Amino acid sequence: MLALMGALFAPLQALAQGPYELDLNSEMQLGIPQSAILTIHPDRLFSSSAFGRRVAEGIEAEGAVLTAENRRIEAVLRAEEQTLAERRHSMDPAAFRALADAFDEKVQETRRLQEQKLREINATGETARREFFTVSLPVLQQLMRESGAGAILDQSSVFLSAYAADITDLAISRIDAVLGDGSQLEQDAQQ
């Protein structure tokens, strides 16, 4: 067994002793693939980062508030509709029609307002996602330089690659170290 290991390491030892000495202080760093092309899972990069998790929690909280508000509004509108239905038989048809049309307009306007709130929540998420990728760009560029890569491709568009070319986990840890959850960026932008 020792002879086999000696045979395996002999070429490395000879290389290190010859004119091609190994430079252990070179730019190559452990844990970073040395590849011309790297891959990344953009969705996971965002959603698994501290920044992405904070955004998702915020959106979830806003969504829960909106859902509760929608339920409360729905209950009020149901009660109003029930009252209107009970009054129908005791009212002049033209007067009832005017109240029913006004109620219908109120329901439609309420629906438009609530849908607008939902679009704003979703837009907040998309804006945060774009901001994340913008502020993460220097970290990704640094990973490219360290690996000697000329490109980082979306893993979903790659037909076949070595797992070692995927830098998603490494990028997440580096981005978290630099950006944290991104709340400081918001504070800086507000000032």
Side-chain angles (χ1 to χ4, degrees):
M1 181 73 169
L2 289 175
L4 177 61
M5 292 195 59
L8 288 174
F9 290 113
L12 285 177
Q13 290 171 341
L15 184 64
Q17 294 169 357
Y20 305 105
E21 290 184 23
L22 294 175
D23 181 7
L24 298 178
N25 295 320
S26 71
E27 290 187 31
M28 183 187 300
Q29 295 185 18
L30 295 176
I32 299 175
Q34 300 300 302
S35 176
I37 297 176
L38 302 172
T39 62
I40 203 160
H41 296 268
D43 291 336
R44 189 164 64 84
L45 180 68
F46 178 70
S47 65
S48 296
S49 70
F51 188 113
R53 289 190 312 269
R54 178 188 55 81
V55 169
E57 288 169 4
I59 289 173
E60 187 175 323
E62 289 180 31
V65 168
L66 183 61
T67 298
E69 183 179 328
N70 286 342
R71 287 185 182 141
R72 182 188 56 76
I73 290 170
E74 182 181 353
V76 168
L77 291 174
R78 278 190 202 276
E80 193 174 328
E81 180 182 35
Q82 182 64 36
T83 300
L84 188 61
E86 290 170 0
R87 292 180 59 197
R88 180 179 190 168
H89 299 294
S90 64
M91 293 181 69
D92 174 64
F96 175 78
R97 173 58 34 215
L99 287 176
D101 287 346
F103 176 74
D104 186 50
E105 180 60 35
K106 179 180 179 179
V107 169
Q108 295 303 321
E109 180 62 21
T110 301
R111 181 176 292 134
R112 280 190 292 273
L113 290 172
Q114 296 307 101
E115 287 173 353
Q116 178 60 34
K117 290 177 184 178
L118 180 59
R119 281 191 297 276
E120 289 170 3
I121 290 171
N122 289 333
T124 299
E126 286 305 311
T127 299
R129 185 179 172 87
R130 281 191 303 275
E131 178 186 13
F132 169 79
F133 284 106
T134 298
V135 298
S136 297
L137 196 55
V139 175
L140 296 173
Q141 289 170 331
Q142 179 63 33
L143 284 170
M144 283 179 60
R145 280 190 295 278
E146 291 174 15
S147 68
I152 299 177
L153 302 178
D154 183 333
Q155 179 64 39
S156 66
S157 65
V158 174
F159 180 71
L160 182 64
S161 72
Y163 177 76
D166 186 319
I167 60 163
T168 306
D169 292 330
L170 178 60
I172 290 168
S173 66
R174 293 268 186 103
I175 290 168
D176 283 353
V178 172
L179 300 178
D181 70 359
S183 57
Q184 184 62 41
L185 295 171
E186 287 181 8
Q187 290 172 3
D188 293 345
Q190 292 173 355
Q191 294 174 358

